[in-house]
Amino acid sequence: MSAPPSGSSSGRGGGRWSGVSLRLRITLLATAVTLACLLGLTTAAGRGLGPVLTGAVDDELQVALTTAAADVAAGRAPDSPDGLEVRVLDTAGDVVGDTGGGGNGDTAGDAPDLSRDQVRALKAGTPVTAGDAQPVRWHGVVTTAPDGGQRLVVAGTGLVGQAAAKESGGRWLLVTALVGSLVAGVAIWFAVGSALAPVARMRESVRRLAPGARVAVPGGAARELRELADDFNVLLDRQDATAERLRRFTGDAAHELRSPVASIRVQSEVAVASPDPLLSQEVHADVLADAERLSALLDGLLALARSDAGELPPAESVDLVDAVRAAVDRAGAVRPGDQAVPVPVVVNTLTDRAWAAAAHTETELVLDNLLRNAGRYTRTRVVVSVLAQRSTVRVLVDDDGPGVPPEHRAKVFDRFYRVADDRARTSGGAGLGLALVAELVRRRGGEVAVGESPDGGARFTVVWPRAR
């Protein structure tokens, strides 16, 4: 049996944390951080407890030493305060019995157990600790006796109990850190629970949300939760708009498909029932026209469906000058409405090359639909212009037909939309061509617009980003 790949548990929903609630995660993490901080402070405090105790002893010895040195300088025998020991030594470290004032300056007691190096340090003013089993802290200062002799005045006290105090203090600091972490963990647990309570209420309201309803912002919720509820409501608005658009699109598509299918069925029944071959030939021609209309409608629906699904082929560098000329060749003779006489298509190019960032199939669909739309409504000619600018490439398609009224220009690119005027009555289209044009251009970062042409008809402007 082969071993599972490394990291496979983390790829399945977060591994060991996948089933742990956010409240518990935050509590455990915050408690662990608190405990680590308190343990660090405890360690630092434990290490600093000894120097603090020794510093307190040094302060007390320094006060006693200052008083004793003043007594020796005045020729008096210094007193030893309670718990402290004061001795007067010569510069070699031996006890002297005379302070230099002529009086009985005898200082009872043995000489401190100090080495030569420690005596030398005391004469330099550096405190020392002598003894291992029973350590004694000593401070010293050199002063001049009244007889002119140099005296080393030392003051010391035992450090008995400091080791026990440091050990006991360290234990208490550790216990305090553990108790503090436990209290912090409990407080964090309840604090996080209180902070997440609005989230639970919001989740419950989302679970019970009726169609078309919106999430209510919990009262007293934090700003982040209010923003979350607002963003969720915006998402619901977009979903409802998409669903409504899909329902309308489905209904319109079914309606548009019904007409050519019904026409083909009726005409096929007439052809089958009629023995006249001439009539059958005419019916077959009508059926072919309806079939072509149905095929174009299905192609438009399929292209829009692919666009809605997010299918976007990679952008290429497309020369719109060649693309426009090829589209004019494909269109062949342009016959407006039911006219038998075709009208010319004039191509104006102010540049030899105009490279656009698009796909060849997209530009073909866009140009074919624009030429088909213009050829339906124009009277005498269609003019196609190609303009290259620094960052964009424009294609202008002008006709001299009835034009598009201003109140319809914002909706003419909607799916299945038709203008209820002379322009629509001459159409016979399904209202998908311009919608497909707008969809294909906009998803490439371009723009589409409709206005008035110099000949009084409609001008359709398509702008693509220029290829680099």
Side-chain angles (χ1 to χ4, degrees), residues 17 23 43 50 64 132 142 200 230 233 246 257 280 288 311 322-323 332 383 396 449 452:
W17 289 98
R23 183 181 186 183
T43 302
D132 295 330
V142 176
D230 293 338
N233 288 333
L246 179 60
L257 290 171
S280 297
L288 179 60
E311 296 183 12
D322 289 344
V383 180
L396 311 179
E452 185 175 352

Side-chain angles (χ1 to χ4, degrees), residues 20-286:
V20 181
S21 66
L22 179 62
R23 183 181 186 183
L24 183 57
R25 291 187 192 186
I26 295 176
T27 301
L28 292 177
L29 179 61
T31 303
V33 172
T34 302
L35 180 60
C37 293
L38 291 179
L39 288 178
L41 293 175
T42 298
T43 302
R47 292 178 179 177
L49 185 59
V52 169
L53 295 175
T54 303
V57 171
D58 289 342
D59 292 340
E60 188 175 356
L61 290 176
Q62 194 64 39
V63 173
L65 184 63
T66 301
T67 303
D71 290 339
V72 171
R76 298 187 299 268
D79 295 329
S80 296
D82 293 339
L84 302 181
E85 184 178 356
V86 177
R87 292 287 181 266
V88 179
L89 312 177
D90 58 19
T91 55
D94 299 325
V95 176
V96 297
D98 186 3
T99 60
N104 185 11
D106 184 30
T107 54
D110 300 330
D113 187 11
L114 298 172
S115 65
R116 291 185 178 274
D117 292 337
Q118 291 172 340
V119 171
R120 189 177 302 111
L122 289 173
K123 288 191 295 183
T126 303
V128 297
T129 302
D132 295 330
Q134 295 182 349
V136 179
R137 185 71 169 176
W138 292 99
H139 276 240
V141 64
V142 176
T143 186
T144 303
D147 61 0
Q150 298 292 314
R151 301 288 187 267
L152 175 61
V153 183
V154 296
T157 184
L159 299 180
V160 179
Q162 274 204 17
K166 289 190 291 184
E167 182 179 356
S168 177
R171 284 198 303 268
W172 278 108
L173 288 174
L174 178 60
V175 171
T176 302
L178 294 176
V179 173
S181 300
L182 180 60
V183 172
V186 174
I188 293 170
W189 172 267
F190 285 105
V192 173
S194 176
L196 293 179
V199 178
R201 293 195 296 269
M202 185 186 301
R203 184 180 59 188
E204 186 66 23
S205 65
V206 170
R207 187 181 296 115
R208 299 178 179 179
L209 203 61
R214 295 295 177 263
V215 179
V217 180
R223 177 173 58 87
E224 292 78 6
L225 292 181
R226 293 196 299 271
E227 292 177 351
L228 176 62
D230 293 338
D231 292 341
F232 194 80
N233 288 333
V234 171
L235 176 61
L236 291 177
D237 291 338
R238 286 205 302 265
Q239 287 183 338
D240 288 348
T242 302
E244 178 61 27
R245 183 181 179 186
L246 179 60
R247 285 193 295 268
R248 187 169 60 251
F249 177 77
T250 304
D252 292 339
H255 177 74
E256 293 296 335
L257 290 171
R258 183 184 303 168
S259 298
V261 170
S263 177
I264 291 174
R265 178 179 178 181
V266 170
Q267 294 180 91
S268 299
E269 291 175 351
V270 171
V272 170
S274 175
D276 187 358
L278 295 178
L279 179 60
S280 297
Q281 185 69 22
E282 293 178 359
V283 170
H284 287 157
D286 293 337

Side-chain angles (χ1 to χ4, degrees), residues 145-458:
D147 61 0
Q150 298 292 314
R151 301 288 187 267
L152 175 61
V153 183
V154 296
T157 184
L159 299 180
V160 179
Q162 274 204 17
K166 289 190 291 184
E167 182 179 356
S168 177
R171 284 198 303 268
W172 278 108
L173 288 174
L174 178 60
V175 171
T176 302
L178 294 176
V179 173
S181 300
L182 180 60
V183 172
V186 174
I188 293 170
W189 172 267
F190 285 105
V192 173
S194 176
L196 293 179
V199 178
R201 293 195 296 269
M202 185 186 301
R203 184 180 59 188
E204 186 66 23
S205 65
V206 170
R207 187 181 296 115
R208 299 178 179 179
L209 203 61
R214 295 295 177 263
V215 179
V217 180
R223 177 173 58 87
E224 292 78 6
L225 292 181
R226 293 196 299 271
E227 292 177 351
L228 176 62
D230 293 338
D231 292 341
F232 194 80
N233 288 333
V234 171
L235 176 61
L236 291 177
D237 291 338
R238 286 205 302 265
Q239 287 183 338
D240 288 348
T242 302
E244 178 61 27
R245 183 181 179 186
L246 179 60
R247 285 193 295 268
R248 187 169 60 251
F249 177 77
T250 304
D252 292 339
H255 177 74
E256 293 296 335
L257 290 171
R258 183 184 303 168
S259 298
V261 170
S263 177
I264 291 174
R265 178 179 178 181
V266 170
Q267 294 180 91
S268 299
E269 291 175 351
V270 171
V272 170
S274 175
D276 187 358
L278 295 178
L279 179 60
S280 297
Q281 185 69 22
E282 293 178 359
V283 170
H284 287 157
D286 293 337
V287 169
L288 179 60
D290 287 335
E292 292 177 349
R293 177 187 173 195
L294 180 61
S295 177
L297 177 60
L298 290 175
D299 289 341
L301 290 174
L302 181 59
L304 289 174
R306 288 174 177 172
S307 179
D308 291 340
E311 296 183 12
L312 185 65
E316 307 170 15
S317 295
V318 180
D319 182 12
L320 291 183
V321 175
D322 289 344
V324 166
R325 290 171 178 165
V328 172
D329 293 338
R330 286 194 302 270
V334 177
R335 291 182 173 85
D338 297 330
Q339 295 182 18
V341 179
V343 298
V345 178
V346 180
V347 178
N348 291 332
T349 58
L350 303 182
T351 179
D352 294 335
R353 291 287 183 266
W355 299 100
H360 287 281
T361 55
E362 293 175 354
T363 55
E364 290 176 359
L365 285 173
V366 169
L367 295 175
D368 289 347
N369 278 282
L370 289 177
L371 287 176
R372 189 180 301 115
N373 179 78
R376 240 182 236 127
Y377 307 115
T378 192
R379 294 188 178 96
T380 60
R381 68 172 184 169
V382 176
V383 180
V384 184
S385 305
V386 181
L387 306 175
Q389 297 177 320
R390 176 177 297 180
S391 58
T392 60
V393 180
R394 295 174 180 267
V395 174
L396 311 179
V397 180
D398 297 320
D399 63 66
D400 57 357
V404 180
E407 63 271 15
H408 295 286
R409 292 174 183 174
K411 299 180 180 179
V412 74
F413 296 102
D414 293 345
R415 300 176 185 184
F416 301 107
Y417 184 81
R418 293 189 182 91
V419 180
D421 58 4
D422 293 338
R423 191 175 183 90
R425 285 193 287 272
T426 61
S427 170
L432 285 179
L434 295 180
L436 182 60
V437 168
E439 186 71 22
L440 294 177
V441 174
R442 287 170 181 167
R443 70 177 184 170
R444 288 295 181 186
E447 299 177 355
V448 293
V450 58
E452 185 175 352
S453 73
D455 297 329

